[in-house]
């Protein structure tokens, strides 16, 4: 079966632990890359200008709980079949140049592919056994970056994913997401062991849900402890990509849709609240730093 | 230290590496290829079995399971806790049993480890904590079978099964093989989790397991500095967990607030009631009461 060319950089987002925010981090990373985050560092591999956004694809292979379409606000869309396979749903993240005008050269884009698009009813559970799940993992996207959001664990989906990717592509590396507490770190350690076993380079560790700032009095409480992710990175001599605090407006952003630019009210042309709100959100800068460090590690020589 | 999974025994038939015996008293050895579904059986020496479940990861199943089990034990109920998450077993850490190894009984069954009055079994007692379990479906199913049928529980009134998230092999295997007296569904308030909670309820209903109720975890956070309530994981508007519960014909049987001390207790393997506010200890104690009442214990 012939494949279209794979993305220049294929990055897995992994965690041994469920509910640490892999989908949110994957989506945020993809948006940050599409908006040009990290483009200021040396990225001669990408074809975009030094201030432009990248062409990014995000692939959600969590078969039992595909969250990415919901976060992007595209869960109402249905994917359609093109001549080369499923065509992803596109969202364009326009970046303005100095005059405030979006130009082709600065425009990044984000394409999204998810098993969620193939489910008719959002309430359906995909209750499949191993072999059928394995057969479903055959999606691919073109672009500068392909971010793959995975379910937690080290079972069928992961084994199948690595085997399938190995058939034709190079996996650039993996970003591991954890929350700060020991219970999560314990599971993420296993994920590190998985990466070592299958030879995936770890591009870095992200410590998510690290601190909550009370919107009322600005006191920061470490709801889920603090520092575990950074300590894990140090322990294994891996890059630490950053602390991501809990953004109080995250949930309401995700659950709202706003009219797209140029849309008339009520015409159904909407953009996910998170996509619209991300550049102004409290975590945008954090993710710019995360992507910069991640890209630096992609190009770093001499790592495993 | 002897780790079972390193034993040089046929791994696929015996993923946990337990010594084989002449006649294994378990259901059809390969439910996938024998005709029809495996027969559901009751677990020996256990009166009632319940599952704690959510399709979504990270909502607090293990935290709920551990606190429910220890609260039940504190009421004098003979309680067992089975950690069915092969890939990310959290129970040993929360029960302060990390690094302990499961031993075998003279009948070559697994001997549960005990702490806080609860008999416990977990993959974490059988595999090195740094080791990833990189197994495909068939081995996962076999391992679950061993954890279900080859643990020597000692006269339990109730066994709480902490299920892993998802709707895959582990969940299907357990549902098809074990007679379950009820399921507690755990969710956080946001839609992403509730959508999965709905799937979980559908799954268990399809398999005729009574839904004991919903636990709303991480429901809100009270700032210790200014006492302002933040509904971090709730969208504004009506309480969606309540809405989902009434839509599906069940109710919310516990609401657990977000408290950093719960995380601290879990990480330290201490009882929540010993570290966190008495309010939270009472929430879990009340939950245990509701579960007992619904099961007739």
């Amino acid at each position: 079966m012939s494949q279209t060319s794979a993305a220049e950089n294929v990055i897995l987002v992994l965690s041994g632990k469920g509910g640490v925010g892999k989908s949110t981090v994957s989506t945020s990373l993809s948006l940050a890359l599409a908006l040009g985050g990290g483009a200021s560092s040396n990225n001669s591999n990408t074809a975009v200008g030094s201030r432009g956004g990248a062409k990014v694809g995000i692939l959600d292979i969590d078969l039992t709980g595909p969250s990415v379409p919901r976060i992007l606000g595209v869960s109402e869309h249905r994917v359609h079949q093109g001549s080369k396979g499923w065509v992803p749903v596109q969202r364009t993240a326009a970046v303005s140049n100095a005059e405030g005008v979006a130009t082709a050269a600065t425009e990044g884009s984000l394409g999204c592919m998810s098993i969620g698009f193939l489910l008719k009813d959002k309430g359906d559970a995909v209750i499949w056994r191993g072999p059928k799940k394995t057969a479903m993992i055959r999606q691919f996207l073109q672009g500068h970056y392909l971010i793959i959001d995975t379910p937690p664990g080290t079972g069928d989906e992961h084994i199948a994913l690595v085997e399938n990717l190995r058939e034709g592509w190079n996996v650039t590396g993996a970003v591991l997401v954890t929350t700060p507490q020991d219970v999560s770190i314990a599971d993420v350690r296993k994920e590190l062991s998985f990466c070592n076993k299958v030879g995936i380079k770890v591009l870095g560790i992200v410590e998510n849900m690290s601190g909550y700032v009370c919107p009322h009095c600005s006191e920061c409480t470490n709801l889920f402890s603090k520092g575990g992710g950074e300590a894990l990175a140090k322990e294994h001599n891996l890059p630490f990509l950053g602390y991501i605090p809990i953004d109080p407006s995250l949930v309401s952003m995700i659950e709202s849709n706003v009219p797209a630019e140029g849309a008339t009210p009520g015409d159904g042309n909407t953009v996910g609240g998170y996509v619209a709100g991300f550049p102004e959100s409290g975590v945008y800068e954090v993710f710019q730093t995360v992507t910069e460090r991640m890209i630096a590690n992609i190009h770093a020589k001499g790592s495993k | 230290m002897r780790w079972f999974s390193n034993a040089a025994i046929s791994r696929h038939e015996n993923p946990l590496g337990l010594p084989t015996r002449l006649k294994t008293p378990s259901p059809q050895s390969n439910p996938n290829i024998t005709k029809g579904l495996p027969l559901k059986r009751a677990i020996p020496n256990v009166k009632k079995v319940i599952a704690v479940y959510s399709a979504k990861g990270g909502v607090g199943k293990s935290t709920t399971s551990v606190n429910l089990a220890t609260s039940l034990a504190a009421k004098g109920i003979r309680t067992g806790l089975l950690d069915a998450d092969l890939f990310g077993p959290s129970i040993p850490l929360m029960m302060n049993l990390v690094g302990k190894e499961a031993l075998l009984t003279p009948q070559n069954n697994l001997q549960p480890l005990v702490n806080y009055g609860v008999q416990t079994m977990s993959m974490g007692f059988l595999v090195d904590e740094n080791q990833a379990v990189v197994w495909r479906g068939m081995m996962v199913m076999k391992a679950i079978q061993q954890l279900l049928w080859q643990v020597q529980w000692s006269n339990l009134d109730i066994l709480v099964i902490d299920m892993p998230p998802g709707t895959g092999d582990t969940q299907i295997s357990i549902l098809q093989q074990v007679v379950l007296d009820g399921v507690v569904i755990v969710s956080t308030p946001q839609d992403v989790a509730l959508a999965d909670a709905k799937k979980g309820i559908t799954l268990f209903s399809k398999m005729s397991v009574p839904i004991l109720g919903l636990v709303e975890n991480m429901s809100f956070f009270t700032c210790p500095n200014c006492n302002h309530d933040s509904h971090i994981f709730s969208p504004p508007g009506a309480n969606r967990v309540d809405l989902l519960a009434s839509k599906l014909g069940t109710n919310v049987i516990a609401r657990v607030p977000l408290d950093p001390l719960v995380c601290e207790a879990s990480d330290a393997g201490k009882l929540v009631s010993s570290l966190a506010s008495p309010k939270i200890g009472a929430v879990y104690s009340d939950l245990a009461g509701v579960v007992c009442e619904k099961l007739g214990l």
Side-chain angles (χ1 to χ4, degrees), chain B residues 59 90 101:
Chain B
V59 298
S90 306
E101 190 188 344

Side-chain angles (χ1 to χ4, degrees), chain B residues 3 37-38 71 77 81 122 155 158 172 176-177 189 240 262 296:
Chain B
W3 293 111
L37 291 173
S71 298
I77 312 263
L81 178 59
S122 165
N155 291 327
I158 184 170
I172 297 172
Q176 284 178 340
Q177 293 182 52
R240 310 227 181 154
V262 173

Side-chain angles (χ1 to χ4, degrees), chain B residues 92-100 125 129:
Chain B
L93 179 66
M94 293 181 176
M95 290 289 289
N96 203 14
L97 291 167
V98 172
K100 302 275 190 261
F125 303 139
E129 63 194 26

